[in-house]
Amino acid sequence: MRFLLPVIANLLLLLAAFGFGSLIRPLIPQSFSKLDRLTIIPFAGFGLQGVLLFLLGIVRFSPPVVLVVLLPAAVLGSRCLLQEMRGTAFSSAPAGAPIIPASVIALVLLVTILGGFADPIGDINESKSDAIAYHYLGPKIWLREGAIRPVLDECLTSFPATVEVQFAALRMVGGQSAPELFSVTELALILLLAAAVALRSGLGWMEAWWVAALISTMPAVYRGLYGGMIDVIYAAFVILAARIAFDSVLPRHFALVGLFCGFAMGTKYTGLIATALLLICIFLFTPNSSRRLSWSTAKHLAMICLMAALISSPWYVRNWLLLGCPIYPPTPLLASFFHVKYFPPEAVQKIKNEILKIGIGMGRDPLSLLLLPFHLAFHPANFENGAGGIGLVPLALLPFCFRAYRWERFAKALGLFAILMTLAWFYTEQESRFLIQVYVIAAIFGVAGWRYVVRAAPRFGRALSALTVTISILYGLFMIVSAKAGDIHAAFSTSFAESRKQEGIPYLESFRYLNSEPSVRKVLVLEPFVPTYYLDKEYLKPIGRWGEHSLPGIDSPGQVLSDPSRWDITHVLDVRLKDGGFQLPEHPENLVLVFEARDQRIYRVSPPGS
Amino acid sequence: MSSEVKHPATAPSLLQRLWPWLIELWIAYVLVAFFIVRILGSGLVQRLLTLLRLRLAR
């Protein structure tokens, strides 16, 4: 059951995504290939499913609600999948897969499947694990509370959460490792998408296989699909929006573009920037537009904006109504316009400083921009979450793609979109995983460059480019396998999993006590950096790790302790961080020490007279 | 005076002749740079080199 339930949960979610995706089939342009359709349908399904679960979850988020959404959709999805696979699905594909790229992809998929069964482990101190801090915390609490609400002590749970809502559904059906196994679906679908875009960009089937193999072994791309990361699915939404946009003719095609822009905006705030940049590219590359805004172009752009706003608005309106600002946590500029709740000005500044610190990369001056391709290839670890990088193909071979084939409108528009996104990323937050959509496009153009090199430099070009691809793949594989080795070991060895928990989960003994002790109903957590993801009971954390004030009028945990019965607190968790002390004195009033371990103490609330 | 028709030069230009070499040089440069920066500069190799240096110094 430990392995079966996560698999069932993921299959159910995937089939349901096909079910919801089947609803948008009339919007897909007729000219699109079967492969295009097989990528558009499930991704659109994941987007629609996320929005629907969120809208229902605002009112009620319980197992019956989730199953009522997923089960009929899965039935519809099975039918859709059979229809789409029927007949000449891959008629233009040569028989059999090329052995080397297919083996590479199979190996990465195998590693992802095996590692996907491990329980999530990590700490939230120094932002070590975003999954534990908020990607998985929100879903766990939504399921416990039976409604989707921002967790007020962790402001990042108020991010648009099209994917996290589905993590909650996975967790409900398949347990806590099911969301981790979702990385397999993400990987398979992004590779299919990359192959489809490669074919549309003028490459052949063999080259599309190599594109997929190169992307599967880019550690910087891989980092965006496991450990609760949602960047690969976001990148897929953005790429699909562009893919459809540059071949759109009819208003319904542009409506589909708007849907994917909306999904991107409902997954990450950066989707707002990507949508704006895509609109620029659509305007510049509209056929016969003569670079002038014609009425029909304006109508198409308006259609995209309308659909995107419609799809993503639930998240932004919810934030505005509940938290005081559509984008939450707000930027300092937004904080000056909106009355932001639960988030004091110091916290706004703190989070801004942290983003600036994380996103500095290797500098923002013109020279750094010029050297960016070299930095991404040779110093990828200097960009947050970029360790391992993207291989050598983009730097070594992409420059020659400009002579690889006659550049038609689609490739030009895709290239410009990638350049604009890179510039936006460079001047905002240089975190590697935020650029995954560009890495995918770079791999496609890199393989186009490879094709040209083989032709234009017949003497050593073939051997040198083969060496470049081989090194990129082997190095990427080494980095990916070593990053996932612990997860794979933990999935199949209970003793190793236990020792990993002992090492990786801070205050594990306290969590075990609190989760197993029946008298514990509600816990007051004093220290902001305690990872409450591991706590199965209801809790109260008055001050969050960014300085959130989750209880209006309460500026310190001590104020809660002055009247614990008002908050129904039964126990208090006090811990000692490195170089710090406990927050409570040795014998606090009205509290009885019931558990103590290294750097951790648990008190039972014992009001006077009890 | 006989009128001579001048044909455009059909011989490849210098850049055309050098172009394959430039391509190969560029890829070779990327490979060598990768080897120096990412392999020789990696923590593992640096530790090995330090060990070797200590051993030789003894």
Side-chain angles (χ1 to χ4, degrees):
Chain A
M1 287 306 268
R2 195 175 149 237
F3 296 109
L4 192 62
L5 278 179
V7 173
I8 290 173
N10 276 280
L11 284 177
L12 177 67
L13 198 79
L14 180 62
L15 283 177
F18 267 99
F20 283 111
S22 68
L23 302 176
I24 58 91
R25 281 192 290 180
L27 303 181
I28 301 174
Q30 291 291 320
S31 60
F32 278 31
S33 67
K34 282 270 181 189
L35 187 59
D36 287 319
R37 294 173 68 84
L38 275 175
T39 53
I40 290 171
I41 292 169
F43 275 119
F46 281 124
L48 289 172
Q49 199 163 259
V51 174
L52 183 63
L53 282 172
F54 174 68
L55 288 172
L56 293 171
I58 291 174
V59 184
R60 189 164 171 73
F61 196 63
S62 61
V65 170
V66 173
L67 291 177
V68 160
V69 171
L70 293 187
L71 286 175
V75 174
L76 190 65
S78 311
R79 203 171 135 247
C80 163
L81 195 58
L82 286 174
Q83 283 171 351
E84 290 294 329
M85 296 294 283
R86 197 183 299 150
T88 55
F90 299 99
S91 57
S92 57
I99 187 84
I100 299 175
S103 312
V104 169
I105 293 167
L107 180 62
V108 178
L109 272 171
L110 183 70
V111 166
T112 314
I113 293 168
L114 297 179
F117 291 106
D119 288 340
I121 299 285
D123 190 2
I124 64 170
N125 204 358
E126 296 164 9
S127 298
K128 279 177 196 153
S129 171
D130 283 354
I132 301 302
Y134 65 99
H135 288 301
Y136 290 162
L137 175 74
K140 181 171 179 175
I141 291 180
W142 302 334
L143 284 171
R144 189 162 69 212
E145 295 187 348
I148 296 177
R149 305 262 188 280
V151 181
L152 296 178
D153 59 76
E154 177 53 66
C155 62
L156 305 188
T157 55
S158 59
F159 279 170
T162 302
V163 184
E164 284 90 341
V165 166
Q166 292 171 85
F167 285 168
L170 285 170
R171 186 186 172 91
M172 190 208 86
V173 180
Q176 64 172 343
S177 69
E180 199 61 44
L181 196 62
F182 184 63
S183 50
V184 180
T185 310
E186 282 184 79
L187 177 61
L189 287 178
I190 191 81
L191 297 183
L192 274 181
L193 171 61
V197 179
L199 291 170
R200 176 61 190 89
S201 304
L203 300 181
W205 273 97
M206 174 66 92
E207 288 144 343
W209 272 101
W210 280 107
V211 167
L214 283 167
I215 291 169
S216 71
T217 51
M218 284 182 174
V221 173
Y222 196 80
R223 187 64 201 94
L225 62 81
Y226 74 94
M229 295 298 187
I230 55 169
D231 303 86
V232 160
I233 202 157
Y234 162 78
F237 288 148
V238 172
I239 293 169
L240 273 170
R243 161 73 187 95
I244 301 161
F246 301 143
D247 274 336
S248 288
V249 182
L250 302 174
R252 61 190 161 91
H253 304 159
F254 288 99
L256 188 57
V257 176
L259 270 181
F260 277 104
C261 289
F263 298 148
M265 286 156 60
T267 304
K268 284 178 96 75
Y269 289 135
T270 44
L272 292 163
I273 299 172
T275 300
L277 298 177
L278 184 61
L279 291 175
I280 294 172
C281 294
I282 294 170
F283 167 64
L284 290 176
F285 285 94
T286 298
N288 309 322
S289 72
S290 315
R291 302 281 156 82
R292 286 213 313 266
L293 189 60
S294 67
W295 170 237
S296 83
T297 310
K299 240 178 11 186
H300 293 155
L301 295 182
M303 168 82 81
I304 294 172
C305 293
L306 192 73
M307 287 302 287
L310 196 72
I311 285 291
S312 61
S313 59
W315 309 100
Y316 295 85
V317 172
R318 187 276 311 260
N319 280 358
W320 199 349
L321 293 178
L322 290 185
L323 306 168
C325 184
I327 293 180
Y328 193 96
T331 62
L333 182 69
L334 283 172
S336 63
F337 285 109
F338 293 92
H339 178 66
V340 180
K341 296 176 193 168
Y342 314 109
F343 211 65
E346 311 84 75
V348 174
Q349 200 55 43
K350 184 181 176 187
I351 208 160
K352 184 198 164 200
N353 293 343
E354 183 67 15
I355 287 172
L356 285 177
K357 196 176 102 187
I358 288 174
I360 192 68
M362 291 188 74
R364 292 202 175 92
D365 53 292
L367 184 65
S368 299
L369 181 61
L370 205 64
L371 294 174
L372 186 63
F374 297 88
H375 290 162
L376 286 173
F378 298 139
H379 305 288
N382 290 4
F383 301 90
E384 184 82 2
N385 283 311
I390 53 173
L392 299 175
V393 169
L395 181 64
L397 302 174
L398 186 144
F400 306 109
C401 78
F402 297 103
R403 304 193 59 168
Y405 48 82
R406 261 190 75 227
W407 280 71
E408 59 147 334
R409 197 173 63 89
F410 179 85
K412 278 184 196 165
L414 195 64
L416 177 70
F417 185 47
I419 291 169
L420 291 180
M421 278 191 296
T422 308
L423 287 173
W425 171 86
F426 183 82
Y427 288 110
T428 52
E429 190 180 351
Q430 295 180 26
E431 190 163 348
S432 186
R433 63 195 166 92
F434 295 172
L435 202 59
I436 286 175
Q437 58 277 21
V438 175
Y439 297 158
V440 172
I441 297 170
I444 294 168
F445 289 151
V447 172
W450 180 14
R451 186 169 73 172
Y452 172 77
V453 166
V454 170
R455 219 175 42 232
R459 201 189 319 230
F460 300 114
R462 183 183 290 272
L464 283 170
S465 45
L467 189 61
T468 306
V469 171
T470 308
I471 288 176
S472 297
I473 287 177
L474 289 179
Y475 186 74
L477 275 178
F478 169 73
M479 294 297 288
I480 288 170
V481 172
S482 46
K484 292 294 281 181
D487 282 351
I488 296 170
H489 193 178
F492 296 94
S493 159
T494 42
S495 60
F496 180 75
E498 177 56 28
S499 69
R500 209 164 76 123
K501 277 182 186 167
Q502 297 282 355
E503 276 175 33
I505 301 180
Y507 322 118
L508 179 65
E509 299 90 338
S510 290
F511 289 124
R512 284 191 167 151
Y513 176 86
L514 292 166
N515 292 340
S516 61
E517 178 61 42
S519 64
V520 177
R521 289 195 310 276
K522 195 169 185 181
V523 183
L524 174 65
V525 179
L526 301 178
E527 171 54 53
F529 285 96
V530 167
T532 42
Y533 169 79
Y534 301 109
L535 188 57
D536 297 338
K537 303 284 174 73
E538 210 181 327
Y539 73 90
L540 211 57
K541 197 195 266 187
I543 308 293
R545 66 186 176 123
W546 298 104
E548 300 95 329
H549 285 197
S550 62
L551 304 170
I554 300 287
D555 295 326
S556 73
Q559 285 174 274
V560 178
L561 273 176
S562 63
D563 187 9
S565 58
R566 184 187 157 200
W567 307 97
D568 290 330
I569 302 292
T570 60
H571 288 73
V572 179
L573 172 63
D574 191 13
V575 302
R576 181 161 54 189
L577 282 184
K578 197 169 61 182
D579 308 327
F582 285 105
Q583 298 212 9
L584 293 175
E586 277 299 315
H587 300 288
E589 208 180 335
N590 300 335
L591 297 176
V592 179
L593 185 68
V594 288
F595 178 85
E596 186 167 17
R598 210 182 77 172
D599 298 333
Q600 41 199 311
R601 287 174 184 168
I602 296 170
Y603 298 92
R604 179 168 46 81
V605 173
S606 172
S610 65
Chain B
M1 226 172 123
S2 66
S3 64
E4 279 181 23
V5 179
K6 283 193 175 174
H7 294 287
T10 48
S13 68
L14 183 66
L15 183 65
Q16 278 174 323
R17 270 184 288 149
L18 284 180
W19 183 239
W21 287 98
L22 289 176
I23 292 174
E24 287 159 2
L25 264 178
W26 171 255
I27 302 172
Y29 153 73
V30 172
L31 287 170
V32 170
F34 174 80
F35 185 74
I36 293 170
V37 176
R38 308 285 302 146
I39 307 293
L40 290 185
S42 71
L44 178 69
V45 175
Q46 286 300 308
R47 277 198 296 276
L48 287 174
L49 287 175
T50 311
L51 277 177
L52 190 70
R53 213 168 34 236
L54 286 173
R55 209 179 183 99
L56 288 173
R58 235 183 264 161

